[in-house]
């Protein structure tokens, strides 16, 4: 079965600095990759996804992610962090061979300090 | 559009009690899902449905049941509550014209359940 790893429980950055939230995945076939964000006491909100095509995917709120097949990674990035970006971020993967089962990472808590 | 709504927001159950978590979506999505979120564990899929009358097990279905009699509603039933079912439960929906592979899922606000 597919799996996702988010190696950092917590990422701290200063406002205005670039941010990266890491994600690596394991699938038997081709992956469909997603990033979701969760604010306190709320459900998850979609940020962006990679299905096929350009390896650099742009999403909501200025976020982007780069699909790297050789490194099996899909890191989330933003050039200039905002305090309001502070939240819990989840990476998720679906596998062509098991298409109704989406696996989520454990989440990374991003804190942006003023 | 209200999107995906869930009731109740909070619930405390005693061991052995039963309850139904309600989920409704008004986006005419064909796919619906139930997840549980445990601290530090991400989300795990309990059950999903690809359309009215069709349901299937996800990664952690034991102790739960679902039904999908309409497109809009996808209730989750706990028959004999156990402390291991203490969690936050999220319902989600998506629209798929194919196999649902690249679909964006829309989540409800969650139900926080405690079993004592």
């Amino acid at each position: 079965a597919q799996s996702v790893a988010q190696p950092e429980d917590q990422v701290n950055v200063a406002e205005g600095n670039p941010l990266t939230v890491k994600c690596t995945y394991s699938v038997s076939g081709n992956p469909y990759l997603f990033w979701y964000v969760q604010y306190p006491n709320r459900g998850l909100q979609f940020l962006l996804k990679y299905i096929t095509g350009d390896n650099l995917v742009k999403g909501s709120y200025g976020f982007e992610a780069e699909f790297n097949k050789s490194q099996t990674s899909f890191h989330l990035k933003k050039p200039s962090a905002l305090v309001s970006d502070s939240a819990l971020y989840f990476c998720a993967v679906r596998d062509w061979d098991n298409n109704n089962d989406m696996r989520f990472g454990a989440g990374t808590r991003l804190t942006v300090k003023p | 559009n209200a999107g995906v709504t869930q009731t109740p927001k909070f619930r405390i159950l005693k061991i052995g009690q039963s309850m139904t978590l309600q989920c409704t979506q008004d986006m005419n999505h064909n796919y619906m899902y139930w997840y549980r979120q445990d601290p530090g564990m991400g989300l795990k899929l309990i059950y999903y449905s690809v359309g009215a009358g069709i349901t299937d097990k996800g990664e952690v279905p034991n102790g739960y049941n679902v039904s999908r009699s309409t497109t809009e509603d996808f209730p989750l039933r706990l028959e004999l509550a156990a402390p291991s079912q203490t969690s936050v439960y999220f319902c989600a929906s998506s629209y798929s014209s194919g196999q649902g592979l690249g679909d964006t899922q829309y989540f409800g606000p969650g139900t926080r359940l405690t079993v004592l």
Side-chain angles (χ1 to χ4, degrees), chain A residues 58-88:
Chain A
K58 293 188 184 297
S60 307
Y61 312 120
F63 284 93
E64 60 187 28
E66 186 165 11
F67 170 63
N68 188 317
K69 189 171 183 177
S70 62
Q71 297 185 3
T72 61
S73 67
F74 190 56
H75 301 331
L76 181 70
K77 299 182 180 185
K78 188 173 182 181
S80 178
L82 299 173
V83 173
S84 57
D85 292 330
S86 299
L88 191 56

Side-chain angles (χ1 to χ4, degrees), chain A residues 6-88:
Chain A
Q6 293 181 243
E8 299 159 317
D9 293 333
Q10 175 99 22
V11 170
N12 298 315
V13 298
E15 187 174 30
N17 283 1
L19 69 88
T20 299
V21 183
K22 295 179 181 177
C23 171
T24 59
Y25 66 89
S26 173
V27 297
S28 57
N30 291 318
Y32 291 87
L33 294 155
F34 302 79
W35 276 103
Y36 284 85
V37 60
Q38 185 180 31
Y39 298 101
N41 301 314
R42 302 285 295 277
L44 276 69
Q45 296 177 30
F46 170 76
L47 273 181
L48 51 79
K49 65 182 176 184
Y50 171 82
I51 305 300
T52 187
D54 196 346
N55 288 345
L56 184 63
V57 179
K58 293 188 184 297
S60 307
Y61 312 120
F63 284 93
E64 60 187 28
E66 186 165 11
F67 170 63
N68 188 317
K69 189 171 183 177
S70 62
Q71 297 185 3
T72 61
S73 67
F74 190 56
H75 301 331
L76 181 70
K77 299 182 180 185
K78 188 173 182 181
S80 178
L82 299 173
V83 173
S84 57
D85 292 330
S86 299
L88 191 56

Side-chain angles (χ1 to χ4, degrees), chain B residues 39-110:
Chain B
M41 297 294 290
L43 278 74
K44 293 189 184 297
L45 183 65
I46 305 171
Y47 271 95
Y48 67 94
S49 169
V50 302
I54 306 170
T55 63
D56 209 344
K57 296 178 181 178
E59 187 183 358
V60 290
N62 291 345
Y64 307 94
N65 279 301
V66 293
S67 59
R68 183 100 182 266
S69 56
T70 67
T71 299
E72 296 79 19
D73 300 307
F74 190 42
L76 177 72
R77 179 87 178 157
L78 282 72
E79 290 294 349
L80 290 169
S84 61
Q85 294 178 305
T86 294
S87 189
V88 181
Y89 291 84
F90 289 100
C91 180
S93 71
S94 66
Y95 177 76
S96 173
S97 58
Q99 293 180 309
L101 294 170
D103 303 333
T104 297
Q105 294 186 15
Y106 295 84
F107 285 80

Side-chain angles (χ1 to χ4, degrees), chain B residues 8-14 17-21 36-38 64 76-78 81-89 110-116:
Chain B
K9 288 193 169 78
F10 305 94
R11 184 73 185 267
I12 298 175
L13 284 182
K14 294 182 179 177
Q17 286 185 320
S18 62
M19 76 163 295
T20 299
L21 282 65
R36 59 178 287 171
Q37 182 182 28
D38 300 318
Y64 307 94
L76 177 72
R77 179 87 178 157
L78 282 72
S84 61
Q85 294 178 305
T86 294
S87 189
V88 181
Y89 291 84
T111 294
R112 187 175 295 274
L113 176 68
T114 302
V115 182
L116 301 174

